[in-house]
Amino acid sequence: MKYFRIFALLMLSLSPAMAWSEDVKLPAEDLPSLVAAAVDNNPELKSSQARWQMFANKARQASALEDPMLMLKLQNLMVREPTAFDKDPQTAKVIGISQQIPFWGSGPSAGSSPV
């Protein structure tokens, strides 16, 4: 009688596990959909794409010319009358515009590469 109770208890405890394993069938996993989900949700891929976009935009920006510079220069002005430009013939008045033009092998980024 003691063995019957143990056997009955064992059968009752195993029957739900056997019934669950037979009834519930998990759907087969689709590899292409899993790969697509992994690619869409991967933060390293998103940061890598943003970094590549940054370098691509930086390369476009580097091709632009430097800003032009306006120069106003006054030399040998009389100290007593700084606004009288025509009193002393040695007074030099210079107005200029300069623009840096890149040349192959020169510039701040010559020899350096982005990391």
Side-chain angles (χ1 to χ4, degrees):
M1 188 74 167
K2 183 177 177 183
Y3 294 114
F4 178 72
R5 287 185 188 169
I6 294 175
F7 180 72
L9 183 62
L10 183 64
M11 291 306 289
L12 287 175
S13 64
L14 290 179
S15 63
M18 291 189 307
W20 180 79
S21 66
E22 292 175 6
D23 291 342
V24 178
K25 297 290 183 184
L26 297 176
E29 295 176 349
D30 185 25
L31 184 61
S33 66
L34 291 175
V35 169
V39 168
D40 290 341
N41 298 327
N42 191 340
E44 287 186 30
L45 289 177
K46 290 179 183 178
S47 67
S48 177
Q49 183 179 12
R51 187 172 178 196
W52 172 256
Q53 191 67 31
M54 177 194 65
F55 282 129
N57 290 340
K58 192 172 187 179
R60 260 186 259 138
Q61 175 189 12
S63 66
L65 293 175
E66 294 285 328
D67 290 336
M69 296 178 63
L70 177 65
M71 176 178 57
L72 300 172
K73 190 181 207 182
L74 300 169
Q75 290 180 342
N76 298 332
L77 280 177
M78 295 179 65
V79 178
R80 291 184 194 157
E81 297 177 36
T83 58
F85 299 125
D86 57 348
K87 294 244 178 174
D88 187 10
Q90 296 293 324
T91 301
K93 299 167 258 326
V94 179
I95 298 174
I97 296 176
S98 67
Q99 173 70 52
Q100 290 186 352
I101 299 174
F103 183 71
W104 179 78
S106 65
S109 63
S112 65
S113 62
V115 177

